[in-house]
Amino acid sequence: AQSVAQPEDQVNVAEGNPLTVKCTYSVSGNPYLFWYVQYPNRGLQFLLKYITGDNLVKGSYGFEAEFNKSQTSFHLKKPSALVSDSALYFCAVRDKGGSYIPTFGRGTSLIVHP
Amino acid sequence: DTGVSQDPRHKITKRGQNVTFRCDPISEHNRLYWYRQTLGQGPEFLTYFQNEAQLEKSRLLSDRFSAERPKGSFSTLEIQRTEQGDSAMYLCASSSGQWREGTDTQYFGPGTRLTVL
């Protein structure tokens, strides 16, 4: 079985400050991990993914995520938040040896204040 | 690459009516997925096609739901005898690549928002 948890429903950060959106996962084997962003009334946009190799993954719009196997986490980060980063962020996991269908978290609403 | 498109973007219907949604995937993608998303939740998997073959269906997909991908290109999702609980955003995604190697990334369309009155 595979599952993902996003422990924060909402994250508030001031513009220009670093941001972190948390994600933890559970899989039987090794994970493939994904982050997506969703703006109001839109579909999900792919940001980045971890397959293997370097634990720090860089993605679109200046976002990056760090894979931590011991903590089973894949937190999304950005050094300096923009007001335009305000959106819903979804973490997803797929078990490398299991299902080809990812499981998505419930999402975290990121609000960046001017 | 024009991305995944979905039509209509919004649909309002009365309970008991049938509705059909269309998804056009990225042209070179051989896999197509349907998801349902309700407020405050992430996408929930409904069904999956590889080319024209429907390979997996979620238990969420009741008998009132049917999906097709007749020529391995666009797909349709039909809901018969709609219920108020069917109100949701219906998302389509497509992908290609080797899923076992993790190169199979899903790209989503803008979604169809269904409201059942």
Side-chain angles (χ1 to χ4, degrees):
Chain A
Q2 58 190 32
S3 65
V4 64
Q6 293 182 243
E8 303 156 316
D9 289 336
Q10 185 170 303
V11 170
N12 291 277
V13 65
E15 187 174 31
N17 283 359
L19 70 87
T20 299
V21 183
K22 295 179 181 178
C23 171
T24 59
Y25 67 89
S26 175
V27 294
S28 303
N30 292 310
Y32 294 135
L33 292 154
F34 307 83
W35 276 103
Y36 287 84
V37 61
Q38 186 177 35
Y39 296 98
N41 297 311
R42 304 294 298 274
L44 277 67
Q45 294 180 28
F46 170 72
L47 279 178
L48 52 80
K49 68 179 178 183
Y50 171 81
I51 302 176
T52 187
D54 194 347
N55 289 342
L56 186 64
V57 179
K58 294 188 183 297
S60 306
Y61 313 120
F63 284 94
E64 57 188 28
E66 186 168 10
F67 170 64
N68 187 317
K69 188 171 184 177
S70 62
Q71 296 186 3
T72 62
S73 67
F74 189 56
H75 300 332
L76 182 70
K77 301 181 180 184
K78 188 173 182 181
S80 178
L82 300 172
V83 172
S84 57
D85 292 330
S86 300
L88 266 175
Y89 290 81
F90 291 94
C91 182
V93 68
R94 183 159 75 74
D95 190 327
K96 202 175 275 192
S99 173
Y100 38 75
I101 306 298
T103 297
F104 287 82
R106 292 183 56 176
T108 297
S109 176
L110 172 67
I111 299 174
V112 182
H113 302 278
Chain B
D1 177 1
T2 58
V4 179
S5 61
Q6 292 186 245
D7 184 69
R9 294 291 307 276
H10 303 274
K11 179 70 177 179
I12 300 173
T13 191
K14 293 182 179 179
R15 189 176 53 185
Q17 298 294 305
N18 299 343
V19 295
T20 300
F21 309 141
R22 176 178 170 126
C23 171
D24 287 87
I26 294 170
S27 57
E28 64 268 24
H29 284 183
N30 60 341
R31 298 190 184 98
L32 186 148
Y33 311 78
W34 285 99
Y35 291 85
R36 181 171 66 188
Q37 185 182 23
T38 53
L39 199 63
Q41 301 293 326
E44 297 173 296
F45 170 72
L46 292 178
T47 190
Y48 151 70
F49 291 85
Q50 180 151 321
N51 300 312
E52 66 274 9
Q54 188 174 18
L55 296 186
E56 188 167 339
K57 291 192 287 187
S58 162
R59 285 175 237 170
L60 290 175
L61 210 67
S62 77
D63 291 344
R64 297 184 296 105
F65 287 68
S66 62
E68 294 184 339
R69 194 182 183 198
K71 296 182 180 179
S73 56
F74 74 92
S75 175
T76 58
L77 177 68
E78 181 183 16
I79 309 174
Q80 295 182 328
R81 306 181 301 282
T82 52
E83 302 172 356
Q84 287 183 326
D86 296 333
S87 295
M89 175 82 92
Y90 289 85
L91 295 167
C92 176
S94 70
S95 71
S96 65
Q98 299 298 318
W99 66 266
R100 201 170 282 283
E101 282 74 38
T103 58
D104 187 47
T105 298
Q106 295 185 20
Y107 293 89
F108 284 79
T112 294
R113 181 166 295 284
L114 172 66
T115 302
V116 182
L117 302 176

